[in-house]
């Protein structure tokens, strides 16, 4: 065993804006976020208000919220990072994720919204308890949410420390701790009411900023033809259809795996699918999917253009590589776009990270205060008490996720794919199949959640934790047991395992029991 170094994840090589315009944008945006949180606090009277906004969200707000909780800090920090490091391989994420919105809306939107009407459901675990009539399913769903939330929240906190450093010039470690504190305050105040409106604001800002960043990145790199030529000269794999993540065969496998994980896996993201509970009525769901998909595609131009152009200029010797891959997005915006554009993007990122993290914290805290206690037969009956316990649980989750960032050396983009994989494996079969197939059984749901979690924890979470703690031998030994190339996403394997378990166990445990009449009618729609 080696001693774990008690140092923050990232070094402080990221440039500081030192620009009054960018500083003003950041300060104003933070003020707006806090004010929205305070407004949400005034509007929040019940647990239902805190978790699902009292079913008050319209079409554009729903669509923009759905897109922004998926994009968030991953798109600005993790996305350019992966594109810079591996060329076109990550484009299999950004070009296929919009399909996930369309798929999710088709298979789940109407059914989950109707479920919120016919039964008193506030969380994903509530809905799955109603579907399977099993406390085991409810409890395991809550547990899976907590595990995935910690990984995904860590992604956003890792991005937040960069943005705080870039705007305000604070050391990275204080950007992490200070940002986490502001996030916790904002989340405890406003709940989901504040989150969805901050999502809406930052989504509009990110779409606008993405167009500007794309134009400046293409100009900086000399146009797509020059960018491609410079990259191909350095390494033809960087601009091949499947990129440079591993060898040629490995890159193909990774591209296909990410296609599966980020198109099909979208329907298993609880921070996305529980947004359907919030819609004002069924009619507003009609146009949400194309709006969300198009918005995501436009915002992804940041990752695509900044990552490729920066790598091309480094390979051409036009700029020095004085930054890490994780810093590519912030560095490009700070050094190669005008102050107004940089201020707009960085301020929007503050709001994006805050609102997306708020969604994660809400669903995770609800699992702690509502889902798991109810699964154990110890539900909190008083609504105000449940609300306060939910708010208190936010603090614990924030501390855990901050610790993951502080002690881990995983790339922001990799943390994001791990969190996505946790959710996809646990919930795609249970929710998508369960809400569309009357033959799904509680035994199948239990097997799928346990199987998906086991694969993800054994091959992702435990090796990462062991390495962070200094147990490199344990981490290496567990990684050596993984039957695929190390860059092949564990989440895809876990998802496929979970689907096979769900279908196989459901087929062997069907006993002819009829669904309740209201659920039977819902699944017939």
């Amino acid at each position: 065993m080696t001693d774990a170094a008690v140092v923050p994840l990232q070094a402080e090589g990221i440039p500081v804006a030192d620009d009054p315009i960018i500083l003003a944008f950041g300060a104003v945006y933070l003020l707006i976020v806090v004010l929205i949180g305070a407004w949400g606090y005034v509007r929040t009277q019940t647990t239902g208000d805190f978790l699902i906004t009292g079913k008050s969200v319209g079409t554009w707000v729903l669509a923009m919220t759905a897109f922004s909780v998926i994009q968030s800090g991953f798109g600005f920090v993790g996305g350019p990072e992966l594109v810079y490091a591996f060329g076109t391989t990550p484009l299999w994420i950004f070009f296929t994720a919009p399909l996930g919105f369309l798929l999710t809306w088709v298979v789940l939107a109407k059914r989950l919204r109707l479920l919120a009407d016919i039964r008193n459901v506030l969380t994903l675990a509530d809905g799955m308890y109603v579907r399977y009539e099993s406390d085991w399913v409810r409890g395991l769903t809550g547990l899976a949410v907590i595990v995935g939330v910690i990984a995904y929240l860590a992604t956003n906190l890792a991005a937040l420390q960069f943005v705080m450093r870039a705007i305000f010039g604070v050391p990275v470690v204080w950007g992490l701790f200070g940002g986490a504190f502001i996030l916790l305050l904002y989340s405890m105040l406003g709940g989901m009411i504040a989150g969805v409106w901050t999502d809406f604001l930052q989504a509009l800002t990110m779409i606008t900023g993405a167009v500007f960043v794309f134009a400046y990145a293409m100009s900086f790199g000399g146009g797509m033809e020059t960018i491609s030529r410079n990259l191909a000269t350095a390494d033809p794999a960087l601009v091949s259809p499947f990129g440079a993540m591993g060898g040629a065969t490995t890159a193909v496998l990774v591209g296909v795996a990410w296609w599966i994980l980020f198109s099909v896996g979208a329907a298993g993201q609880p921070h996305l699918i529980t947004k359907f509970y919030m819609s004002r009525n069924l009619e507003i769901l009609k146009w949400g999917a194309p709006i969300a998909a198009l918005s995501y595609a436009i915002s992804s131009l940041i990752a695509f253009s900044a990552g490729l152009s920066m790598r091309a200029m480094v390979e051409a010797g036009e700029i020095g590589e004085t930054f890490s891959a994780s810093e590519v997005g912030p560095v490009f915006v700070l050094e190669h776009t005008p102050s107004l554009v940089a201020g707009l993007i960085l301020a929007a990122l503050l709001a994006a990270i805050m609102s997306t993290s708020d969604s994660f914290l809400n669903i995770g805290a609800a699992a702690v205060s509502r889902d798991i206690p109810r699964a154990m037969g110890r539900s909190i009956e008083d609504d105000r008490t449940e609300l306060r316990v939910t708010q208190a649980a936010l603090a614990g989750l924030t501390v855990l996720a901050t610790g993951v960032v502080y002690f881990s050396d995983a790339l922001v983009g990799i943390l994001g794919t791990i969190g996505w994989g946790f959710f996809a494996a646990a919930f795609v079969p249970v929710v998508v199949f369960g809400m569309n197939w009357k033959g799904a059984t509680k035994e199948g749901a239990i097997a799928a959640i346990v199987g998906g979690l086991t694969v993800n924890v054994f091959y992702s979470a435990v090796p990462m934790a062991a390495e962070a703690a200094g147990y490199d031998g344990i981490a290496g030994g567990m990684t050596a047991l993984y039957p695929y190339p190390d860059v092949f996403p564990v989440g895809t394997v876990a998802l496929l395992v979970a689907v096979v378990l769900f279908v196989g166990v459901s087929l062997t445990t069907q006993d002819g029991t009829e669904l309740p009449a209201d659920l039977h009618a819902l699944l017939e729609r």
Side-chain angles (χ1 to χ4, degrees):
M1 182 184 120
T2 58
D3 292 331
V6 186
V7 294
L9 167 61
Q10 286 84 5
E12 300 189 15
I14 186 171
V16 177
D18 194 24
D19 186 312
I21 294 177
I22 295 175
L23 182 62
F25 264 103
V28 169
Y29 237 76
L30 271 184
L31 177 61
I32 291 173
V33 165
V34 172
L35 290 176
I36 292 176
W39 172 76
Y41 179 78
V42 174
R43 293 282 304 274
T44 299
Q45 302 298 323
T46 67
T47 304
D49 293 335
F50 192 82
L51 296 178
I52 62 169
T53 74
K55 302 176 184 176
S56 61
V57 174
T59 302
W60 280 92
V61 176
L62 178 67
M64 290 299 184
T65 296
F67 133 65
S68 59
V69 298
I70 296 299
Q71 187 63 285
S72 66
F74 175 81
F76 181 72
V77 177
E81 166 191 73
L82 292 177
V83 172
Y84 180 87
F86 305 114
T88 53
T89 307
L91 299 188
W92 285 87
I93 296 175
F94 296 111
F95 290 164
T96 59
L99 299 176
F101 290 105
L102 303 177
L103 171 66
T104 303
W105 247 265
V106 169
V107 299
L108 288 179
K110 182 180 290 186
R111 285 178 166 82
L112 289 180
R113 181 59 185 83
L114 285 171
L115 188 64
D117 273 345
I118 65 176
R119 301 290 185 95
N120 181 30
V121 298
L122 300 181
T123 67
L124 183 61
D126 280 345
M128 294 307 95
Y129 173 77
V130 169
R131 170 61 183 87
Y132 296 103
E133 297 183 318
S134 167
D135 281 323
W136 274 98
V137 173
R138 186 205 289 270
L140 287 170
T141 298
L143 177 63
V145 164
I146 293 170
V147 173
V149 158
I150 292 171
Y152 232 140
L153 184 58
T155 304
N156 282 277
L157 289 174
L160 179 60
Q161 63 186 351
F162 284 132
V163 180
M164 295 288 285
R165 167 71 174 166
I167 296 176
F168 301 109
V170 297
V172 170
V173 66
W174 291 114
L176 172 62
F177 292 147
F181 176 76
I182 295 171
L183 166 64
L184 180 59
L185 177 64
Y186 160 77
S187 300
M188 291 182 69
L189 280 176
M192 198 60 74
I193 291 177
V196 296
W197 284 102
T198 310
D199 281 337
F200 182 70
L201 176 63
Q202 68 89 8
L204 295 178
T205 310
M206 282 294 293
I207 291 170
T208 303
V211 174
F212 281 108
V213 169
F214 178 76
Y216 281 105
M218 290 295 100
S219 175
F220 174 68
M224 199 62 227
E225 182 178 351
T226 301
I227 291 172
S228 299
R229 183 171 59 251
N230 288 337
L231 291 174
T233 300
D235 181 358
L238 289 171
V239 289
S240 67
F242 293 95
M245 198 168 194
T249 302
T250 299
V252 173
L253 290 175
V254 172
V256 173
W258 275 354
W259 181 84
I260 295 171
L261 187 60
F262 283 88
S263 56
V264 177
Q269 305 304 305
H271 50 297
L272 168 61
I273 59 182
T274 52
K275 295 291 187 288
F276 298 134
Y277 292 163
M278 303 177 189
S279 62
R280 193 159 48 234
N281 53 55
L282 289 175
E283 292 300 317
I284 70 170
L285 294 173
K286 182 176 181 180
W287 294 104
I291 293 172
L294 181 60
S295 299
Y296 184 94
I298 294 173
S299 70
S300 295
L301 293 174
I302 291 178
F304 166 74
S305 58
L308 289 183
S309 64
M310 289 287 279
R311 181 66 183 269
M313 294 300 278
V314 167
E315 297 295 350
E318 296 293 330
I319 60 173
E321 192 174 28
T322 58
F323 45 83
S324 69
S326 297
E327 298 165 355
V328 167
V331 167
F332 176 78
V333 168
L334 283 172
E335 296 188 349
H336 304 292
T337 66
S339 296
L340 284 175
V341 174
L344 187 74
I345 290 293
L346 291 173
L349 255 295
L350 278 180
I353 293 167
M354 292 290 177
S355 56
T356 303
S357 299
D358 178 54
S359 293
F360 292 130
L361 283 172
N362 281 330
I363 62 174
V368 174
S369 66
R370 179 181 177 89
D371 300 331
I372 292 178
R374 291 190 176 207
M376 299 172 65
R378 302 176 65 87
S379 61
I380 302 172
E381 299 299 335
D382 180 68
D383 186 77
R384 295 292 293 178
T385 301
E386 184 178 58
L387 173 59
R388 297 309 175 210
V389 174
T390 301
Q391 291 172 318
L394 296 173
L397 290 172
T398 303
V399 170
L400 285 173
T402 302
V404 170
V405 178
Y406 190 86
F407 290 109
S408 172
D409 61 357
L411 297 175
V412 179
I414 298 302
L415 280 175
T417 59
I418 289 173
W420 184 283
F422 267 112
F423 285 146
F427 300 130
V428 165
V430 175
V431 181
V432 175
F433 285 66
M435 297 304 296
N436 290 275
W437 178 33
K438 287 183 284 187
T441 68
K442 63 182 180 183
E443 291 84 3
I446 292 169
I449 296 174
V450 171
L453 275 178
T454 299
V455 173
N456 270 311
V457 168
F458 188 83
Y459 288 121
S460 288
V462 174
M464 185 182 296
E467 186 175 358
Y471 294 98
D472 295 337
I474 295 177
M478 298 182 73
T479 303
L481 295 175
Y482 188 54
Y484 302 98
D486 58 354
V487 294
F488 189 86
V490 173
T492 303
V493 178
L495 171 59
L496 296 176
V497 168
V499 169
V500 171
L501 286 172
F502 184 83
V503 174
V505 175
S506 289
L507 288 174
T508 59
T509 55
Q510 292 172 352
D511 58 7
T513 303
E514 286 291 325
L515 289 170
D518 55 355
L519 289 187
H520 190 280
L522 187 154
L523 266 64
E524 289 286 343
R525 293 179 71 93

